[in-house]
mmCIF file of all heavy atoms in Angstrom:
data_model
loop_
_atom_site.group_PDB
_atom_site.id
_atom_site.type_symbol
_atom_site.label_atom_id
_atom_site.label_comp_id
_atom_site.label_asym_id
_atom_site.label_seq_id
_atom_site.Cartn_x
_atom_site.Cartn_y
_atom_site.Cartn_z
ATOM 1 N N ILE A 667 -7.495 32.951 37.626
ATOM 2 C CA ILE A 667 -6.252 32.762 38.380
ATOM 3 C C ILE A 667 -5.280 33.905 38.109
ATOM 4 O O ILE A 667 -4.597 34.390 39.022
ATOM 5 C CB ILE A 667 -5.598 31.416 38.025
ATOM 6 C CG1 ILE A 667 -6.515 30.257 38.456
ATOM 7 C CG2 ILE A 667 -4.236 31.274 38.708
ATOM 8 C CD1 ILE A 667 -5.998 28.894 38.062
ATOM 9 N N LEU A 675 2.692 38.769 40.015
ATOM 10 C CA LEU A 675 3.376 38.911 38.732
ATOM 11 C C LEU A 675 4.029 40.281 38.598
ATOM 12 O O LEU A 675 5.194 40.394 38.195
ATOM 13 C CB LEU A 675 2.380 38.693 37.594
ATOM 14 C CG LEU A 675 2.911 38.907 36.171
ATOM 15 C CD1 LEU A 675 4.062 37.959 35.885
ATOM 16 C CD2 LEU A 675 1.790 38.723 35.149
ATOM 17 N N ALA A 699 1.695 22.500 28.039
ATOM 18 C CA ALA A 699 1.330 21.101 28.270
ATOM 19 C C ALA A 699 0.532 20.904 29.545
ATOM 20 O O ALA A 699 -0.458 20.169 29.570
ATOM 21 C CB ALA A 699 2.600 20.239 28.318
ATOM 22 N N SER A 701 -0.675 23.507 31.990
ATOM 23 C CA SER A 701 -1.714 24.460 32.371
ATOM 24 C C SER A 701 -2.842 24.534 31.357
ATOM 25 O O SER A 701 -4.006 24.665 31.735
ATOM 26 C CB SER A 701 -1.095 25.855 32.552
ATOM 27 O OG SER A 701 -2.024 26.747 33.117
ATOM 28 N N GLY A 740 19.125 13.444 34.710
ATOM 29 C CA GLY A 740 19.967 12.376 35.227
ATOM 30 C C GLY A 740 19.611 11.970 36.644
ATOM 31 O O GLY A 740 20.493 11.579 37.421
ATOM 32 N N ALA A 751 7.442 1.070 42.291
ATOM 33 C CA ALA A 751 6.807 1.843 41.225
ATOM 34 C C ALA A 751 5.844 0.995 40.395
ATOM 35 O O ALA A 751 4.708 1.411 40.152
ATOM 36 C CB ALA A 751 7.862 2.492 40.332
ATOM 37 N N ILE A 755 1.680 1.461 39.840
ATOM 38 C CA ILE A 755 1.032 1.555 38.535
ATOM 39 C C ILE A 755 -0.034 0.470 38.371
ATOM 40 O O ILE A 755 -1.157 0.741 37.922
ATOM 41 C CB ILE A 755 2.072 1.444 37.402
ATOM 42 C CG1 ILE A 755 3.083 2.591 37.511
ATOM 43 C CG2 ILE A 755 1.373 1.469 36.045
ATOM 44 C CD1 ILE A 755 2.470 3.958 37.464
ATOM 45 N N ILE A 780 -14.115 6.640 25.907
ATOM 46 C CA ILE A 780 -13.404 7.797 25.345
ATOM 47 C C ILE A 780 -12.858 8.703 26.441
ATOM 48 O O ILE A 780 -11.816 9.345 26.274
ATOM 49 C CB ILE A 780 -14.324 8.593 24.392
ATOM 50 C CG1 ILE A 780 -13.515 9.641 23.621
ATOM 51 C CG2 ILE A 780 -15.480 9.243 25.163
ATOM 52 C CD1 ILE A 780 -14.326 10.333 22.543
ATOM 53 N N LEU A 790 -0.179 12.180 29.837
ATOM 54 C CA LEU A 790 1.046 12.396 29.069
ATOM 55 C C LEU A 790 1.520 13.837 29.205
ATOM 56 O O LEU A 790 2.687 14.097 29.520
ATOM 57 C CB LEU A 790 0.800 12.057 27.596
ATOM 58 C CG LEU A 790 1.944 12.398 26.634
ATOM 59 C CD1 LEU A 790 3.175 11.575 26.967
ATOM 60 C CD2 LEU A 790 1.511 12.168 25.179
ATOM 61 N N THR A 796 5.463 18.053 34.576
ATOM 62 C CA THR A 796 6.135 17.923 35.874
ATOM 63 C C THR A 796 7.643 18.073 35.716
ATOM 64 O O THR A 796 8.302 18.781 36.474
ATOM 65 C CB THR A 796 5.817 16.555 36.506
ATOM 66 O OG1 THR A 796 4.416 16.469 36.762
ATOM 67 C CG2 THR A 796 6.571 16.373 37.814
ATOM 68 N N GLY A 799 8.509 21.620 34.749
ATOM 69 C CA GLY A 799 8.406 22.499 35.907
ATOM 70 C C GLY A 799 9.635 22.454 36.780
ATOM 71 O O GLY A 799 10.065 23.471 37.341
ATOM 72 N N LEU A 810 7.415 34.082 40.203
ATOM 73 C CA LEU A 810 7.416 34.376 38.769
ATOM 74 C C LEU A 810 7.011 33.145 37.962
ATOM 75 O O LEU A 810 6.239 33.255 37.002
ATOM 76 C CB LEU A 810 8.796 34.861 38.324
ATOM 77 C CG LEU A 810 8.913 35.244 36.846
ATOM 78 C CD1 LEU A 810 7.956 36.378 36.509
ATOM 79 C CD2 LEU A 810 10.351 35.637 36.487
ATOM 80 N N ILE A 826 -6.441 28.790 21.172
ATOM 81 C CA ILE A 826 -7.285 27.624 20.909
ATOM 82 C C ILE A 826 -8.734 28.048 20.665
ATOM 83 O O ILE A 826 -9.388 27.592 19.721
ATOM 84 C CB ILE A 826 -7.201 26.625 22.076
ATOM 85 C CG1 ILE A 826 -5.820 25.962 22.099
ATOM 86 C CG2 ILE A 826 -8.296 25.566 21.968
ATOM 87 C CD1 ILE A 826 -5.584 25.062 23.291
ATOM 88 N N GLN A 844 -25.992 31.886 31.351
ATOM 89 C CA GLN A 844 -26.859 33.054 31.547
ATOM 90 C C GLN A 844 -28.064 32.707 32.407
ATOM 91 O O GLN A 844 -28.561 33.538 33.158
ATOM 92 C CB GLN A 844 -27.330 33.576 30.187
ATOM 93 C CG GLN A 844 -26.229 34.151 29.321
ATOM 94 C CD GLN A 844 -26.721 34.593 27.958
ATOM 95 O OE1 GLN A 844 -27.881 34.956 27.791
ATOM 96 N NE2 GLN A 844 -25.839 34.563 26.960
ATOM 97 N N SER A 859 -9.551 29.257 42.726
ATOM 98 C CA SER A 859 -8.870 29.498 43.999
ATOM 99 C C SER A 859 -8.502 28.208 44.714
ATOM 100 O O SER A 859 -7.327 27.821 44.766
ATOM 101 C CB SER A 859 -9.744 30.370 44.903
ATOM 102 O OG SER A 859 -11.022 29.761 45.107
ATOM 103 N N GLY A 863 -5.230 28.467 41.965
ATOM 104 C CA GLY A 863 -4.109 29.312 42.373
ATOM 105 C C GLY A 863 -3.414 28.856 43.640
ATOM 106 O O GLY A 863 -2.174 28.805 43.698
ATOM 107 N N ILE A 864 -4.180 28.529 44.675
ATOM 108 C CA ILE A 864 -3.579 28.126 45.955
ATOM 109 C C ILE A 864 -2.739 26.862 45.821
ATOM 110 O O ILE A 864 -1.566 26.845 46.224
ATOM 111 C CB ILE A 864 -4.682 27.954 47.023
ATOM 112 C CG1 ILE A 864 -5.332 29.309 47.323
ATOM 113 C CG2 ILE A 864 -4.099 27.346 48.303
ATOM 114 C CD1 ILE A 864 -6.520 29.224 48.261
ATOM 115 N N THR A 876 12.047 19.068 45.394
ATOM 116 C CA THR A 876 11.819 17.653 45.118
ATOM 117 C C THR A 876 12.283 17.286 43.719
ATOM 118 O O THR A 876 12.127 18.068 42.785
ATOM 119 C CB THR A 876 10.310 17.322 45.232
ATOM 120 O OG1 THR A 876 9.814 17.815 46.467
ATOM 121 C CG2 THR A 876 10.082 15.813 45.155
ATOM 122 N N ARG A 877 12.837 16.092 43.573
ATOM 123 C CA ARG A 877 13.188 15.597 42.252
ATOM 124 C C ARG A 877 11.927 15.283 41.465
ATOM 125 O O ARG A 877 10.937 14.822 42.024
ATOM 126 C CB ARG A 877 14.050 14.334 42.362
ATOM 127 C CG ARG A 877 15.474 14.624 42.824
ATOM 128 C CD ARG A 877 16.292 13.355 42.844
ATOM 129 N NE ARG A 877 17.681 13.683 43.171
ATOM 130 C CZ ARG A 877 18.584 14.067 42.268
ATOM 131 N NH1 ARG A 877 18.229 14.164 41.011
ATOM 132 N NH2 ARG A 877 19.816 14.360 42.641
ATOM 133 N N PHE A 899 -19.594 13.076 46.358
ATOM 134 C CA PHE A 899 -20.523 14.079 45.836
ATOM 135 C C PHE A 899 -21.270 13.624 44.584
ATOM 136 O O PHE A 899 -22.392 14.050 44.334
ATOM 137 C CB PHE A 899 -19.786 15.384 45.533
ATOM 138 C CG PHE A 899 -19.336 16.126 46.756
ATOM 139 C CD1 PHE A 899 -18.103 15.887 47.318
ATOM 140 C CD2 PHE A 899 -20.159 17.064 47.365
ATOM 141 C CE1 PHE A 899 -17.673 16.570 48.455
ATOM 142 C CE2 PHE A 899 -19.758 17.749 48.498
ATOM 143 C CZ PHE A 899 -18.518 17.500 49.047
#
Side-chain angles (χ1 to χ4, degrees):
I667 296 176
L675 176 60
S701 189
I755 299 302
I780 190 173
L790 173 64
T796 297
L810 182 60
I826 290 174
Q844 293 177 28
S859 57
I864 294 174
T876 309
R877 287 183 175 275
F899 289 90

